[in-house]
Amino acid sequence: MALKPIWGAIAPAAVLIGAIAAPANAVSLNLQGRYDGVPNELTEGAAEISAYDPVSQQLFVTNSADNTIDFISIADPTMPMLNLQLDLSPFGAGINSVAFSNGILAAALEADPATDDGTVAFFDSTGVEITQVTVGALPDMLTFTPDGSKVLVANEGEPNDEYTIDPRGSVSIIDVASFDVNTLFFDDVDIPEDVRVFGPGATPAQDLEPEYIAVAPDGTQAFVALQENNAIAVLDLVDEEFTEVFGLGFKDFNDPANPIDASNRDDGINIQNWPVFGMYQPDAIAAYEAADGNTYIVTANEGDARDYDGFTEEFRVGDDEIVLDPTAFPNAKELKEDENLGRLRITNTLGDTDGDGDFDELYAYGGRSFSIFDADGNLVFDSAAELEKITAEQVPELFNGQDNDPGEFDDRSDDKGPEPEGITVGKFKGRTLAFIGLERVGGVMIYDITDPNEAKFLNYTPNPPEDISPEGILYISAEDSPTGVPLLVTTNEVSGTTAIYAVVPEPGTIIGLISAVAATGLGLKRKQR
């Protein structure tokens, strides 16, 4: 017998699980403008990651569809305009990331094949080449230190599809004054047992795959997300060495605080507890200093599996290969039904705790949440089930779907749910806010993380139909904004669009009413430079 869903397909979640209401000091996103290189068509990959220059008031947007960087003026955010499309084919086979600081634009490009060393190319704000340097294999993300003196590059080092070539993951540190490169590997770094090292025949140095880098505000440390390994590496930027790698642990979806919808075949929104653990596996991460003077790491717990022709870890609970231990799972037959856990994607590399060939525990991909960790790797806050509950309440017709399509309702419940991927942090009227982009169901969550122990939900803005699958998310402070009002930029991978939002107090709040006098809707006065 199937386990009974909590509620029907599009019933208002608030009626049954309690509304997660926006507080009185909420913050809103007001759409200002959108850049779409090919209007009314999906151009997948035409917008993925962005950076911003406050002097020229330009966005630099990676366009992997054309292997270019698109220079987009947002001097008037309501009318973004293309200034330049910079061809990157002389520098590499594919653009993965951009960053900008102090007049210098840095671009990370993979080689062909991607297992070879990649390139970071440097340009000025008009697209004139400065230089290029060689970094590690598959440079997937890069960022400047706060003072702009160094560029840090996360070289993911993914294997080829046959898993016969597996380059070492690494981080390259580029001195901007000299453009000297120091590439750091993990060969001599102590790797704790709770860090996943599981690629076939791989050494830890090959298996660790840097995905994203966040730099501490004081510039002395960086934190490197190792997504597939469910871990974070700590990098000393003074001595330029890795000092630690720590595992992120697992999230118990059987805890009353952490229910999930685990099936895309249950005919409804069915958020409940299941005997499964989630691997946090963050994609984007950010770092900030809280009022207590300590540095905290904020993570978007997307989840990711290794699935290659030569090796895959990805199975479903209902697959014949996944034999459930009868003691740990006395209701195994029921759990394996498609409307229960049968469709849920799990790893086959964890869970056989006694080595007898069956599974005593189950481990799924991602935490379906965002988290806050301290600099030592201790979990301080997790949004628990809020992302699924909020989207179930506010956009039930799109719940755990994708592509802004009601026809895809519930289609991602067996995978990673709303799939939080992008995250950024910004200061807003004395508070520290986290903005979390949901890759599948779409939209942006806003949380007040001023006190990391008491993070609070502020608002959720669903994607407009024109913007599908936010990949990158960028906060522009009021000081740097062309309008004097903070902006949030989402680069939407599937639609290939770049959307610009004003970050404003929620209408109806006292501060919101005051702000509305100065700026309403699209009527924002441009700041003169």
Coordinates of all heavy atoms in Angstrom, one line a residue, residues 70 171 198 224 253 257 275 286 360 363 373 379 387 392 430 434 460 473 477:
D70 N 29.4 38.8 -23.0 CA 28.5 39.9 -23.5 C 28.6 41.0 -22.5 O 28.4 40.9 -21.3 CB 27.0 39.4 -23.5 CG 26.9 38.3 -24.6 OD1 27.8 38.1 -25.4 OD2 25.8 37.6 -24.6
V171 N 43.3 24.5 -7.1 CA 43.0 26.0 -7.0 C 44.2 26.7 -7.5 O 45.3 26.5 -6.9 CB 42.6 26.4 -5.6 CG1 42.5 27.9 -5.5 CG2 41.3 25.7 -5.2
F198 N 35.7 8.5 -3.9 CA 35.0 7.3 -4.4 C 35.1 7.1 -5.9 O 34.6 6.1 -6.4 CB 33.5 7.4 -4.0 CG 32.8 8.5 -4.6 CD1 32.0 8.4 -5.8 CD2 32.8 9.8 -4.0 CE1 31.4 9.4 -6.3 CE2 32.1 10.8 -4.6 CZ 31.4 10.7 -5.7
V224 N 36.7 26.6 -0.2 CA 36.5 26.0 -1.5 C 35.5 24.8 -1.4 O 35.7 23.8 -0.7 CB 37.9 25.4 -2.0 CG1 37.7 24.9 -3.5 CG2 38.9 26.5 -2.0
F253 N 16.5 13.2 6.6 CA 15.2 13.5 6.1 C 14.1 12.8 6.9 O 12.9 13.0 6.6 CB 15.1 13.2 4.7 CG 15.9 14.1 3.8 CD1 16.7 13.6 2.7 CD2 15.9 15.5 4.0 CE1 17.4 14.4 1.9 CE2 16.7 16.3 3.2 CZ 17.4 15.8 2.1
A257 N 11.9 18.0 11.4 CA 12.2 19.3 10.8 C 12.5 19.2 9.3 O 12.5 20.2 8.6 CB 13.3 20.0 11.5
P275 N 13.1 7.6 5.6 CA 14.3 7.1 6.2 C 15.5 7.3 5.2 O 16.0 6.3 4.7 CB 14.0 5.7 6.5 CG 13.0 5.3 5.5 CD 12.1 6.6 5.3
A286 N 29.1 31.4 -0.3 CA 29.5 32.8 0.0 C 30.1 32.9 1.4 O 29.8 32.0 2.2 CB 28.4 33.8 -0.2
D360 N 22.0 -0.5 4.5 CA 21.5 -0.2 5.8 C 21.0 1.2 6.0 O 20.2 1.5 6.9 CB 22.5 -0.6 6.8 CG 23.1 -1.9 6.6 OD1 22.5 -2.9 7.0 OD2 24.2 -2.0 6.0
Y363 N 21.4 7.4 0.9 CA 21.9 8.7 0.8 C 21.5 9.3 -0.5 O 21.9 8.9 -1.6 CB 23.4 8.7 1.0 CG 23.9 8.3 2.4 CD1 24.0 7.0 2.8 CD2 24.1 9.3 3.3 CE1 24.3 6.7 4.1 CE2 24.5 9.0 4.6 CZ 24.6 7.7 5.0 OH 25.0 7.4 6.3
F373 N 27.5 27.7 7.9 CA 28.5 27.0 8.6 C 29.5 28.0 9.2 O 29.7 29.1 8.6 CB 29.3 26.0 7.8 CG 28.5 24.8 7.2 CD1 27.8 25.0 6.0 CD2 28.5 23.6 7.9 CE1 27.1 23.9 5.5 CE2 27.7 22.6 7.4 CZ 27.0 22.7 6.2
L379 N 27.9 23.3 11.6 CA 26.6 23.7 11.1 C 25.9 24.7 12.1 O 25.7 24.3 13.2 CB 25.7 22.6 10.7 CG 24.3 22.9 10.2 CD1 24.4 23.5 8.8 CD2 23.4 21.6 10.1
L387 N 12.4 25.6 1.8 CA 12.4 25.9 0.4 C 11.2 25.2 -0.3 O 10.5 25.8 -1.1 CB 13.7 25.6 -0.2 CG 14.9 26.3 0.4 CD1 16.2 26.1 -0.5 CD2 14.7 27.8 0.6
A392 N 5.8 25.3 -2.4 CA 4.5 24.6 -2.4 C 3.3 25.5 -2.1 O 2.2 25.4 -2.6 CB 4.5 23.4 -1.4
G430 N 21.6 48.1 6.8 CA 22.1 47.6 8.0 C 22.0 46.2 8.3 O 22.5 45.7 9.3
A434 N 20.9 37.1 2.4 CA 21.3 36.0 1.5 C 20.2 35.9 0.4 O 19.0 35.9 0.7 CB 21.5 34.7 2.3
Y460 N 10.0 35.5 -1.2 CA 10.3 34.6 -2.4 C 9.8 35.3 -3.6 O 8.6 35.7 -3.6 CB 9.7 33.2 -2.2 CG 9.7 32.4 -3.4 CD1 10.9 32.1 -4.1 CD2 8.5 31.9 -4.0 CE1 11.0 31.3 -5.2 CE2 8.6 31.1 -5.1 CZ 9.8 30.8 -5.7 OH 9.8 30.0 -6.9
I473 N 23.9 34.5 -9.7 CA 23.1 35.5 -9.0 C 24.1 36.5 -8.4 O 25.1 36.1 -7.8 CB 22.2 34.8 -7.9 CG1 21.3 35.8 -7.2 CG2 23.1 34.1 -6.9 CD1 20.2 35.1 -6.4
S477 N 25.5 46.6 -4.7 CA 25.2 47.5 -3.6 C 24.6 48.8 -4.1 O 24.8 49.2 -5.2 CB 26.4 47.7 -2.7 OG 27.4 48.5 -3.4

